[in-house]
């Protein structure tokens, strides 16, 4: 059995799709860490262990306790760690976070990274443990649904470390752009045939449908190691305008280089050329998506585990 900690499965499909899709053994997702006899313990989003800490001293104590726990658990199973982010989104105790990660790396038999660009976070002494396995991407289940020919904007996912709010507001305020937007910060809402703007979270079916209707989105954020939202938009073959900082740690299809444009306001005239460029390179995008199918990513995970 593989024990998978923590349980983020409700809000993040990565855990189930990457670990369970090709699992050759039972997988149990747990909310707390307890010593157990199993083949492997897989840890990701380790920052959850620090969420209840109110001081740096408490956070440091958690890291020390984790060292004791993993020392005992390593006698009963292999330890696997997946690094998701350069640093956790909502943990203020960065020194304790680094201490916790050092502890996990010391005991881990495998360290999964989603790109070679993330290797700088791993000390050289642990490089022999590293395996590269990209974040999964799924193609749209609604490929047969025709897109709108008019400029149509799609936005989905939590607002986090945005760096180009002016562009986003400019798009929202343009009456000649169709919009499918889910953003809990919004005050007003629209529900029209070609426009749905809401503060509630789209259902999975709505997200699939509205992304398929759309032809572009934006991704201007502080640097991140990966983004499920961006991968969702790639899987739906949208033009995604972005800047170099937002994707400096990400591996994108080569043709997405053309969409790397600093913008303060939306240039409608360039959208047609960008859509044509995407369509001219659709085979490259199809290959990129296919190489990151959940079954392939899951196979790579388990092949690495089986190699121990």
């Amino acid at each position: 059995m593989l024990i998978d900690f923590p349980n983020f499965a409700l809000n993040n499909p990565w855990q189930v799709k990457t670990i369970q899709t090709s699992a050759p053994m039972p997988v149990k997702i747990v909310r707390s860490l307890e010593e157990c006899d199993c083949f492997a313990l897989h840890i990701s989003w380790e920052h959850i262990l620090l969420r209840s800490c109110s001081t740096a001293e408490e956070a440091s104590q958690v890291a020390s306790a984790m060292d004791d726990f993993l020392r005992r658990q390593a006698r009963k199973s292999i330890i696997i760690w997946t690094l998701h982010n350069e640093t956790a989104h909502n943990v203020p105790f960065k020194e304790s976070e680094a201490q916790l990660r050092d502890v996990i790396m010391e005991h881990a038999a495998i360290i999964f990274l989603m790109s070679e660009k993330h290797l700088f976070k791993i000390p050289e002494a642990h490089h022999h443990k590293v395996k590269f396995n990209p974040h999964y991407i799924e193609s749209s289940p609604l490929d047969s649904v025709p897109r709108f020919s008019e400029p149509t904007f799609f936005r989905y996912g939590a607002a986090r470390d945005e760096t180009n709010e002016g562009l986003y507001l400019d798009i929202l305020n343009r009456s000649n752009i169709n919009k499918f937007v889910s953003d809990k910060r919004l005050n007003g809402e629209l529900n029209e045939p070609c426009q749905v703007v809401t503060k509630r979270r789209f259902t999975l079916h709505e997200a699939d449908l509205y992304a398929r209707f759309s032809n572009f989105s934006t991704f201007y954020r502080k640097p991140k190691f990966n983004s499920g939202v961006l991968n969702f938009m790639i899987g739906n073959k949208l033009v995604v305008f972005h800047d170099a900082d937002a994707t400096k740690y990400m591996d994108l299809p080569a043709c997405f280089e053309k969409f790397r444009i600093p913008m303060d306001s939306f240039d409608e005239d360039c959208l047609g050329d960008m859509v044509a460029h995407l369509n001219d390179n659709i085979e490259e995008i199809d290959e990129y998506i296919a190489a990151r199918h959940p079954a392939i990513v899951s196979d790579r995970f388990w092949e690495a585990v089986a190699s121990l």
Side-chain angles (χ1 to χ4, degrees):
M1 175 181 290
L2 180 140
I3 302 297
D4 199 2
F5 172 84
N7 189 347
F8 273 19
L10 181 62
N11 294 319
N12 195 323
W14 179 89
Q15 189 165 15
V16 171
K17 292 182 184 295
T18 300
I19 310 302
Q20 296 189 15
T21 299
S22 301
M25 65 181 68
V27 174
K28 182 179 180 181
I29 301 176
V30 299
R31 298 180 182 276
S32 60
L33 286 174
E34 299 176 0
E35 282 185 60
C36 60
D37 291 316
C38 59
F39 175 72
L41 168 65
H42 175 246
I43 300 169
S44 53
W45 298 296
E46 67 290 336
H47 68 277
I48 195 172
L49 295 167
L50 304 175
R51 277 186 172 177
S52 62
C53 297
S54 56
T55 66
E57 182 179 3
E58 286 182 12
S60 181
Q61 289 171 354
V62 167
S64 296
M66 188 65 164
D67 189 21
D68 292 337
F69 168 79
L70 290 179
R71 195 178 308 279
R72 297 190 303 271
Q73 182 61 42
R75 302 189 188 109
K76 301 179 178 182
S77 72
I78 62 173
I79 309 297
I80 305 167
W81 180 46
T82 296
L83 176 63
H84 285 266
N85 300 297
E86 182 178 12
T87 184
H89 301 307
N90 299 312
V91 172
F93 309 113
K94 297 305 180 185
E95 289 186 6
S96 298
E97 179 190 45
Q99 180 186 356
L100 178 60
R101 288 180 168 186
D102 285 344
V103 163
I104 297 173
M105 279 189 277
E106 185 65 33
H107 294 285
I110 299 176
I111 299 169
F112 281 108
L113 303 180
M114 297 185 190
S115 170
E116 293 183 13
K117 295 177 182 178
H118 307 166
L119 188 60
F120 74 94
K121 292 296 293 184
I122 308 300
E124 188 172 352
H126 296 303
H127 282 190
H128 66 283
K129 302 177 180 180
V130 170
K131 303 290 184 182
F132 298 105
N133 197 18
H135 194 293
Y136 80 88
I137 298 181
E138 292 180 291
S139 58
S140 170
L142 303 175
D143 267 344
S144 61
V145 175
R147 295 191 191 278
F148 292 168
S149 57
E150 304 86 359
T152 304
F153 175 69
F154 177 80
R155 180 182 172 114
Y156 176 55
R160 184 175 287 135
D161 293 333
E162 306 281 335
T163 61
N164 204 335
E165 287 293 300
L167 172 63
Y168 174 45
L169 293 175
D170 178 52
I171 293 170
L172 280 181
N173 290 328
R174 295 207 187 191
S175 59
N176 58 338
I177 296 178
N178 299 323
K179 306 167 196 73
F180 295 101
V181 174
S182 170
D183 186 342
K184 67 180 181 181
R185 303 172 300 171
L186 294 172
N187 293 320
E189 298 200 5
L190 287 172
N191 190 356
E192 300 175 357
C194 295
Q195 298 201 79
V196 176
V197 178
T198 180
K199 63 178 62 179
R200 67 172 176 80
R201 186 181 178 93
F202 287 151
T203 66
L204 294 178
H205 177 71
E206 286 175 327
D208 286 336
L209 183 62
Y210 298 154
R212 184 59 194 169
F213 286 160
S214 304
N215 44 43
F216 81 102
S217 188
T218 58
F219 192 79
Y220 294 88
R221 300 185 179 187
K222 293 180 180 177
K224 293 287 180 290
F225 271 12
N226 67 81
S227 169
V229 169
L230 179 58
N231 288 334
F232 179 80
M233 294 188 293
I234 293 172
N236 279 277
K237 302 172 188 174
L238 297 176
V239 171
V240 183
F241 294 104
H242 60 281
D243 60 14
D245 275 352
T247 60
K248 68 183 291 186
Y249 298 127
M250 300 180 187
D251 300 316
L252 299 182
C255 64
F256 267 55
E257 181 80 21
K258 191 175 181 69
F259 309 147
R260 188 175 296 165
I261 304 174
M263 282 191 189
D264 294 322
S265 61
F266 183 60
D267 181 0
E268 295 175 36
D269 293 336
C270 79
L271 179 60
D273 290 339
M274 297 300 179
V275 171
H277 173 74
L278 184 146
N279 290 333
D280 288 343
N281 291 275
I282 206 69
E283 289 185 6
E284 177 200 337
I285 297 173
D286 283 338
E287 291 175 2
Y288 180 91
I289 295 170
R292 288 158 177 79
H293 188 279
I296 291 178
V297 171
S298 188
D299 284 346
R300 290 177 62 165
F301 177 91
W302 286 104
E303 285 168 6
V305 172
S307 69
L308 291 177

